Amino acid sequence: MVPYGRQNIDEADIEAVISVLRSDFLTQGPAVPAFERAVAEYCGAAHAIAVNSATSALHLACLALGVGPGDRIWTSPITFVASANCALYCGAEVDFVDIDPHTFNMCPSALEHALEQAKQDDRLPKVIIPVHMCGQSCDMATIKALADRFGIRVIEDASHAIGGRYRNTAIGHCDYSDITIFSFHPVKIITSGEGGMAVTQDKTLGEAMRLLRSHGVTRDPGLLTAPAHGSWYYEQLELGFNYRLTDIHAALGLSQMRRLDEFVTERHRIADRYDRLLEGLPLAKPGRNMEALSTWHLYVIRLDTKAVNHRAVFEGMKANGIGVNLHYMPVYLQPYYAKRGFLPGKCPEAERYYSGAMTIPIYPSLTNDLQDKVVMTLRDCIRESGAS
Ligand SMILES: *Cc1c(COP(=O)(O)O)cnc(C)c1O
């Protein structure tokens, strides 16, 4: 099976992990701050907090922004469930803003309309979480201008987007947000096995996330409420968590940072080639935002469902060894969210997207031959689906 995505591990990555295993510290050693410094430097962010997943980073980011019961968070329906679940972890409510059908990102005009309505109803969100779907930045300038107009904070879910750029600054520079979060799951752009990171320019937010990452416990003399009783002394100041990344994971992540730009370049080469190879087929290729440099985490096509049977093509690809996927069913259609009262029809563009979307394989080591096989198989499946 050709997977839709996969990690790329070289000998230097393996050596980096082994050297941690031979060292004194498997966790809370020097690899974690080194990984944090590398990502902070890459993005031009002042503060970086490594955690054990992007899900944990989203949770900490919400808590640092003061999200709690009675608050609301808005995100995109076309995302992984974690972008919405973080609101519920904090006891807040979540709601969804429909997507732009070309970029699959949160639609700024849908957002504006929803914000105007929410202001009238006195139900404005505290935080919005735009998701850089497939690694292509949202229209952040417009989203941030709206957030400022309505007094809302912004977390960028850049789980797909480390290595991407927007208006010529790196994703993670936080020009248009308070906090940006990254994922290092193996299918993402770089991996640490499991892992995530939150980056911010704001010292207070950075310190809050750092404290909550590790039980809310600190030895920092600047934060202690009383003189230390001795050199053993630490204080718990908040109800935090154990969301720490291990040095084993951090060493892999740090090693992968060396090749981040190379990975993105390879993904661009493959995406550009798909754009040419898919010409003339009954499908829409992913739309491009000229202000963004995508990471091409995912290459999503939208089949013309008037001409072809989406499900038949999808299953046909799988039966022929092509590991296609569907990113994502609108989150609010998940049974857990349906139980909370969300109804089909809420975000029509997201639901239309779901009815025809298909992720086809893209990862740095995908060869031209395999890519040709993906496209040939797709042609066959489309032809068969149209005939049936
Ligand atoms: C992968 C992903 C997450 C969660 O990342 P983990 O590191 O697996 O917790 C969150 N949001 C989006 C959009 C993702 O793709």
Side-chain angles (χ1 to χ4, degrees), residues 242-299:
N242 182 352
Y243 281 170
R244 290 188 305 261
L245 189 70
T246 74
D247 279 51
I248 305 168
H249 295 87
L252 178 55
L254 175 61
S255 176
Q256 290 253 296
M257 281 298 289
R258 288 177 297 118
R259 294 191 293 148
L260 172 55
D261 287 339
E262 194 183 302
F263 290 157
V264 172
T265 302
E266 276 305 293
R267 287 173 175 276
H268 271 264
R269 187 185 63 72
I270 296 163
D272 291 347
R273 195 159 179 271
Y274 268 139
D275 275 6
R276 293 194 300 276
L277 296 174
L278 296 173
E279 201 53 60
L281 287 171
L283 54 85
K285 291 173 281 190
R288 297 192 180 204
N289 173 353
M290 288 309 148
E291 295 189 312
L293 179 90
S294 179
T295 61
W296 288 107
H297 164 55
L298 302 174
Y299 192 96

Coordinates of all heavy atoms in Angstrom, one line a residue, residues 242-299:
N242 N 1.2 16.7 33.4 CA 2.5 16.2 32.8 C 2.3 16.0 31.3 O 1.9 15.0 30.8 CB 2.9 14.8 33.5 CG 4.3 14.4 32.9 OD1 4.8 15.0 32.0 ND2 4.8 13.4 33.5
Y243 N 2.7 17.1 30.6 CA 2.6 17.2 29.2 C 4.0 17.3 28.6 O 4.2 17.7 27.5 CB 1.8 18.4 28.7 CG 0.3 18.3 28.8 CD1 -0.5 19.4 28.6 CD2 -0.3 17.0 29.0 CE1 -1.9 19.3 28.6 CE2 -1.7 16.9 29.1 CZ -2.5 18.0 28.9 OH -3.9 17.9 28.9
R244 N 5.0 16.8 29.4 CA 6.4 17.0 28.9 C 6.7 16.1 27.8 O 6.2 15.0 27.7 CB 7.4 16.7 30.1 CG 7.4 17.7 31.2 CD 8.5 17.5 32.2 NE 8.4 16.1 32.7 CZ 7.9 15.8 33.9 NH1 7.4 16.7 34.7 NH2 7.9 14.5 34.3
L245 N 7.6 16.6 26.9 CA 8.2 15.8 25.8 C 9.5 15.1 26.4 O 10.2 15.8 27.2 CB 8.6 16.7 24.7 CG 9.1 16.1 23.4 CD1 7.9 15.4 22.7 CD2 9.7 17.1 22.4
T246 N 9.8 13.9 26.0 CA 11.1 13.3 26.5 C 12.2 13.8 25.7 O 12.1 14.2 24.5 CB 11.0 11.8 26.5 OG1 11.1 11.4 25.1 CG2 9.7 11.2 27.0
D247 N 13.4 13.6 26.2 CA 14.6 13.9 25.4 C 14.8 13.0 24.2 O 15.4 13.4 23.2 CB 15.9 13.9 26.3 CG 16.0 15.2 27.1 OD1 15.0 15.6 27.8 OD2 17.1 15.9 27.1
I248 N 14.3 11.8 24.4 CA 14.4 10.8 23.2 C 13.6 11.4 22.0 O 14.1 11.4 20.9 CB 13.8 9.5 23.7 CG1 14.5 8.9 24.9 CG2 13.9 8.5 22.5 CD1 13.8 7.7 25.6
H249 N 12.4 11.9 22.3 CA 11.6 12.5 21.3 C 12.2 13.8 20.8 O 12.2 14.0 19.6 CB 10.2 12.7 21.8 CG 9.4 11.5 22.1 ND1 9.5 10.8 23.4 CD2 8.6 10.7 21.4 CE1 8.7 9.8 23.3 NE2 8.2 9.6 22.2
A250 N 12.6 14.6 21.7 CA 13.2 15.9 21.3 C 14.4 15.8 20.4 O 14.6 16.6 19.5 CB 13.5 16.7 22.6
A251 N 15.2 14.8 20.7 CA 16.4 14.6 19.9 C 16.1 14.3 18.5 O 16.7 14.8 17.5 CB 17.3 13.5 20.5
L252 N 15.0 13.5 18.3 CA 14.6 13.1 16.9 C 14.0 14.4 16.2 O 14.4 14.7 15.1 CB 13.5 12.0 17.0 CG 12.9 11.6 15.6 CD1 14.0 11.3 14.6 CD2 11.9 10.5 15.8
G253 N 13.2 15.1 17.0 CA 12.6 16.4 16.4 C 13.7 17.4 16.0 O 13.7 18.0 15.0
L254 N 14.7 17.5 16.9 CA 15.8 18.5 16.6 C 16.6 18.0 15.4 O 16.9 18.8 14.5 CB 16.7 18.5 17.9 CG 18.0 19.4 17.7 CD1 17.7 20.8 17.4 CD2 18.9 19.3 19.0
S255 N 16.9 16.7 15.3 CA 17.6 16.2 14.2 C 16.8 16.4 12.9 O 17.3 16.8 11.8 CB 17.9 14.7 14.4 OG 18.5 14.2 13.3
Q256 N 15.5 16.3 13.0 CA 14.6 16.5 11.8 C 14.6 17.9 11.3 O 14.4 18.2 10.1 CB 13.2 16.0 12.1 CG 13.1 14.5 12.2 CD 12.4 13.9 11.0 OE1 11.2 14.1 10.8 NE2 13.1 13.1 10.3
M257 N 14.8 18.9 12.2 CA 14.8 20.3 11.9 C 15.8 20.6 10.8 O 15.6 21.5 10.0 CB 15.0 21.2 13.1 CG 13.8 21.4 14.0 SD 12.4 22.2 13.2 CE 13.1 23.9 13.0
R258 N 16.9 19.9 10.8 CA 18.0 20.1 9.8 C 17.4 20.0 8.4 O 17.9 20.7 7.4 CB 19.1 19.0 9.9 CG 20.0 19.1 11.0 CD 21.0 17.9 11.0 NE 20.2 16.6 11.1 CZ 20.2 15.7 10.1 NH1 20.9 15.8 9.0 NH2 19.5 14.6 10.3
R259 N 16.4 19.1 8.2 CA 16.0 18.8 6.8 C 14.6 19.4 6.6 O 14.0 19.1 5.5 CB 16.0 17.3 6.6 CG 17.4 16.7 6.6 CD 17.4 15.3 6.1 NE 16.7 14.4 7.1 CZ 16.1 13.3 6.7 NH1 16.0 13.0 5.5 NH2 15.5 12.6 7.6
L260 N 14.1 20.2 7.5 CA 12.7 20.8 7.3 C 12.5 21.5 6.0 O 11.6 21.2 5.2 CB 12.4 21.7 8.5 CG 11.1 22.5 8.4 CD1 9.9 21.6 8.2 CD2 10.9 23.4 9.6
D261 N 13.4 22.4 5.6 CA 13.3 23.1 4.3 C 13.3 22.1 3.1 O 12.6 22.3 2.1 CB 14.3 24.2 4.2 CG 14.1 25.4 5.1 OD1 12.9 25.5 5.6 OD2 15.0 26.1 5.4
E262 N 14.2 21.2 3.3 CA 14.3 20.2 2.2 C 13.0 19.4 2.0 O 12.6 19.1 0.9 CB 15.5 19.2 2.6 CG 16.1 18.3 1.7 CD 17.1 17.4 2.4 OE1 18.0 18.0 3.0 OE2 16.9 16.2 2.4
F263 N 12.4 19.0 3.1 CA 11.1 18.3 3.1 C 10.1 19.1 2.4 O 9.3 18.6 1.5 CB 10.6 17.9 4.5 CG 11.4 16.9 5.2 CD1 11.4 16.8 6.6 CD2 12.2 15.9 4.6 CE1 12.1 15.8 7.3 CE2 12.9 15.0 5.2 CZ 12.9 14.9 6.6
V264 N 10.0 20.4 2.7 CA 9.0 21.3 2.1 C 9.2 21.4 0.6 O 8.3 21.4 -0.2 CB 9.0 22.6 2.9 CG1 8.0 23.6 2.1 CG2 8.5 22.4 4.3
T265 N 10.5 21.6 0.3 CA 10.8 21.7 -1.2 C 10.4 20.5 -1.9 O 9.8 20.5 -3.0 CB 12.4 21.9 -1.3 OG1 12.7 23.1 -0.6 CG2 12.7 22.1 -2.8
E266 N 10.7 19.3 -1.4 CA 10.3 18.0 -2.0 C 8.8 17.9 -2.2 O 8.2 17.5 -3.2 CB 10.8 16.8 -1.2 CG 12.2 16.4 -1.6 CD 12.4 16.2 -3.0 OE1 11.9 15.2 -3.6 OE2 13.1 17.0 -3.7
R267 N 8.1 18.3 -1.1 CA 6.6 18.3 -1.2 C 6.1 19.2 -2.2 O 5.1 18.9 -2.9 CB 6.0 18.6 0.2 CG 6.2 17.5 1.2 CD 5.8 17.9 2.6 NE 5.9 16.8 3.6 CZ 4.9 15.9 3.8 NH1 3.8 16.0 3.1 NH2 5.1 14.9 4.6
H268 N 6.7 20.4 -2.4 CA 6.3 21.3 -3.5 C 6.5 20.7 -4.8 O 5.6 20.8 -5.7 CB 7.1 22.6 -3.4 CG 6.4 23.6 -2.5 ND1 5.6 24.6 -3.0 CD2 6.4 23.8 -1.2 CE1 5.1 25.3 -2.0 NE2 5.6 24.8 -0.9
R269 N 7.6 20.0 -5.0 CA 7.9 19.4 -6.3 C 6.8 18.4 -6.6 O 6.3 18.3 -7.8 CB 9.3 18.7 -6.2 CG 9.7 18.1 -7.5 CD 11.0 17.3 -7.4 NE 10.9 16.1 -6.5 CZ 10.2 15.0 -6.9 NH1 9.7 14.9 -8.1 NH2 10.1 14.0 -6.1
I270 N 6.4 17.6 -5.6 CA 5.4 16.6 -5.9 C 4.0 17.2 -6.1 O 3.3 16.8 -7.0 CB 5.3 15.6 -4.6 CG1 6.7 14.8 -4.5 CG2 4.2 14.6 -4.8 CD1 6.9 14.2 -3.2
A271 N 3.7 18.3 -5.3 CA 2.4 18.9 -5.5 C 2.3 19.6 -6.9 O 1.3 19.5 -7.6 CB 2.2 20.0 -4.4
D272 N 3.4 20.2 -7.3 CA 3.4 20.9 -8.7 C 3.2 19.8 -9.7 O 2.5 20.0 -10.7 CB 4.7 21.6 -8.9 CG 4.8 22.9 -8.0 OD1 3.8 23.3 -7.4 OD2 5.9 23.4 -7.9
R273 N 3.8 18.7 -9.5 CA 3.7 17.6 -10.5 C 2.3 17.0 -10.5 O 1.7 16.8 -11.6 CB 4.7 16.5 -10.2 CG 5.0 15.5 -11.3 CD 6.3 14.8 -11.1 NE 6.4 13.8 -12.3 CZ 6.0 12.6 -12.2 NH1 5.4 12.1 -11.1 NH2 6.1 11.8 -13.3
Y274 N 1.7 16.9 -9.4 CA 0.2 16.4 -9.3 C -0.6 17.4 -10.1 O -1.5 17.0 -10.8 CB -0.3 16.4 -7.9 CG -0.2 15.0 -7.2 CD1 0.2 14.9 -5.9 CD2 -0.5 13.8 -7.9 CE1 0.3 13.7 -5.2 CE2 -0.4 12.6 -7.2 CZ 0.0 12.5 -5.9 OH 0.1 11.3 -5.3
D275 N -0.4 18.7 -9.9 CA -1.2 19.7 -10.6 C -1.2 19.5 -12.1 O -2.2 19.6 -12.7 CB -0.6 21.2 -10.2 CG -1.2 21.7 -8.9 OD1 -1.9 21.0 -8.2 OD2 -0.9 22.9 -8.7
R276 N 0.0 19.2 -12.6 CA 0.1 18.9 -14.1 C -0.5 17.6 -14.4 O -1.3 17.5 -15.4 CB 1.6 18.9 -14.5 CG 2.3 20.2 -14.4 CD 3.6 20.2 -15.2 NE 4.6 19.2 -14.7 CZ 5.4 19.4 -13.7 NH1 5.4 20.5 -13.0 NH2 6.3 18.5 -13.3
L277 N -0.2 16.5 -13.7 CA -0.7 15.2 -14.0 C -2.3 15.1 -13.9 O -2.8 14.2 -14.6 CB -0.1 14.1 -13.1 CG 1.4 14.0 -13.3 CD1 1.9 13.0 -12.2 CD2 1.9 13.5 -14.6
L278 N -2.9 15.8 -13.1 CA -4.3 15.7 -12.8 C -5.1 16.6 -13.8 O -6.4 16.5 -13.7 CB -4.6 16.0 -11.4 CG -4.0 15.1 -10.3 CD1 -4.3 15.7 -8.9 CD2 -4.6 13.7 -10.5
E279 N -4.5 17.3 -14.6 CA -5.1 18.2 -15.6 C -6.2 17.4 -16.4 O -5.9 16.3 -16.9 CB -4.1 18.8 -16.5 CG -4.5 20.1 -17.2 CD -5.0 21.1 -16.3 OE1 -4.2 21.6 -15.4 OE2 -6.1 21.5 -16.4
G280 N -7.4 18.0 -16.5 CA -8.4 17.3 -17.4 C -9.3 16.3 -16.7 O -10.2 15.8 -17.3
L281 N -8.9 15.9 -15.5 CA -9.8 14.9 -14.8 C -11.0 15.6 -14.1 O -10.9 16.8 -13.8 CB -9.0 14.2 -13.7 CG -8.0 13.1 -14.3 CD1 -7.1 12.6 -13.2 CD2 -8.7 12.0 -15.0
P282 N -12.1 14.9 -13.9 CA -13.3 15.6 -13.3 C -13.1 15.8 -11.8 O -13.7 15.1 -11.0 CB -14.4 14.6 -13.6 CG -13.7 13.2 -13.7 CD -12.3 13.5 -14.2
L283 N -12.2 16.7 -11.5 CA -11.9 17.0 -10.0 C -11.4 18.4 -9.9 O -10.9 19.0 -10.9 CB -10.9 16.0 -9.5 CG -9.6 15.8 -10.2 CD1 -8.6 16.8 -9.8 CD2 -9.1 14.4 -10.0
A284 N -11.5 19.0 -8.7 CA -10.8 20.3 -8.4 C -9.5 20.0 -7.7 O -9.5 19.2 -6.7 CB -11.8 21.1 -7.6
K285 N -8.5 20.6 -8.2 CA -7.2 20.5 -7.5 C -7.2 21.6 -6.3 O -8.0 22.5 -6.3 CB -6.1 20.8 -8.5 CG -5.9 19.7 -9.5 CD -4.9 20.1 -10.6 CE -5.5 21.0 -11.6 NZ -4.7 21.2 -12.8
P286 N -6.3 21.4 -5.3 CA -6.3 22.3 -4.2 C -6.0 23.7 -4.6 O -5.1 23.9 -5.4 CB -5.2 21.7 -3.3 CG -4.5 20.7 -4.1 CD -5.3 20.3 -5.2
G287 N -6.8 24.6 -4.1 CA -6.6 26.1 -4.4 C -5.4 26.6 -3.7 O -5.0 26.2 -2.6
R288 N -4.7 27.6 -4.4 CA -3.5 28.2 -3.8 C -3.8 29.6 -3.4 O -4.4 30.4 -4.1 CB -2.4 28.1 -4.8 CG -2.0 26.6 -5.1 CD -0.7 26.5 -5.9 NE -0.4 25.1 -6.2 CZ 0.8 24.7 -6.4 NH1 1.8 25.5 -6.4 NH2 1.0 23.4 -6.7
N289 N -3.3 30.0 -2.2 CA -3.3 31.3 -1.7 C -2.0 31.9 -2.0 O -0.9 31.5 -1.5 CB -3.6 31.3 -0.2 CG -3.5 32.7 0.5 OD1 -3.1 33.6 -0.2 ND2 -3.8 32.7 1.7
M290 N -1.9 33.0 -2.9 CA -0.7 33.5 -3.3 C 0.1 34.2 -2.2 O 1.3 34.4 -2.4 CB -0.9 34.5 -4.5 CG -1.4 33.8 -5.8 SD -0.2 32.4 -6.2 CE -1.3 31.3 -7.0
E291 N -0.5 34.5 -1.1 CA 0.2 35.1 0.0 C 0.9 34.1 0.9 O 1.6 34.4 1.9 CB -0.7 35.9 0.8 CG -1.2 37.1 0.1 CD -2.0 38.1 1.0 OE1 -2.8 37.6 1.8 OE2 -1.7 39.3 0.9
A292 N 0.7 32.8 0.6 CA 1.1 31.7 1.5 C 2.1 30.8 0.8 O 1.9 30.5 -0.4 CB 0.0 30.9 2.0
L293 N 3.1 30.3 1.5 CA 3.9 29.2 1.0 C 3.5 28.0 1.8 O 3.8 27.9 3.0 CB 5.4 29.5 1.2 CG 6.3 28.3 0.8 CD1 6.7 28.5 -0.7 CD2 7.6 28.2 1.6
S294 N 2.8 27.1 1.2 CA 2.3 25.9 1.9 C 3.4 24.9 2.2 O 4.4 24.9 1.5 CB 1.2 25.2 1.0 OG 0.7 24.1 1.6
T295 N 3.2 24.1 3.1 CA 4.1 22.9 3.4 C 3.7 21.7 2.6 O 4.4 20.7 2.6 CB 4.1 22.5 4.8 OG1 2.8 22.1 5.2 CG2 4.5 23.7 5.7
W296 N 2.5 21.8 2.0 CA 1.9 20.6 1.3 C 2.0 19.4 2.2 O 2.4 18.3 1.8 CB 2.6 20.3 0.0 CG 2.3 21.3 -1.1 CD1 3.0 22.4 -1.6 CD2 1.0 21.5 -1.7 NE1 2.3 23.1 -2.5 CE2 1.1 22.6 -2.6 CE3 -0.2 20.8 -1.7 CZ2 0.0 23.0 -3.4 CZ3 -1.3 21.2 -2.5 CH2 -1.2 22.3 -3.3
H297 N 1.5 19.5 3.4 CA 1.3 18.4 4.3 C 0.4 17.3 3.7 O 0.6 16.1 3.7 CB 0.8 18.8 5.7 CG 0.2 17.7 6.5 ND1 1.0 16.6 6.8 CD2 -1.0 17.5 7.1 CE1 0.2 15.8 7.6 NE2 -1.0 16.3 7.7
L298 N -0.7 17.9 3.1 CA -1.7 17.0 2.4 C -1.9 17.5 1.0 O -1.9 18.7 0.8 CB -3.0 17.0 3.2 CG -3.0 16.5 4.6 CD1 -4.4 16.7 5.2 CD2 -2.6 15.1 4.8
Y299 N -2.2 16.6 0.1 CA -2.7 17.0 -1.3 C -4.1 16.5 -1.4 O -4.3 15.3 -1.5 CB -1.8 16.5 -2.4 CG -2.1 17.1 -3.7 CD1 -1.3 18.2 -4.2 CD2 -3.1 16.6 -4.5 CE1 -1.6 18.8 -5.4 CE2 -3.4 17.2 -5.8 CZ -2.6 18.3 -6.2 OH -2.9 18.8 -7.4

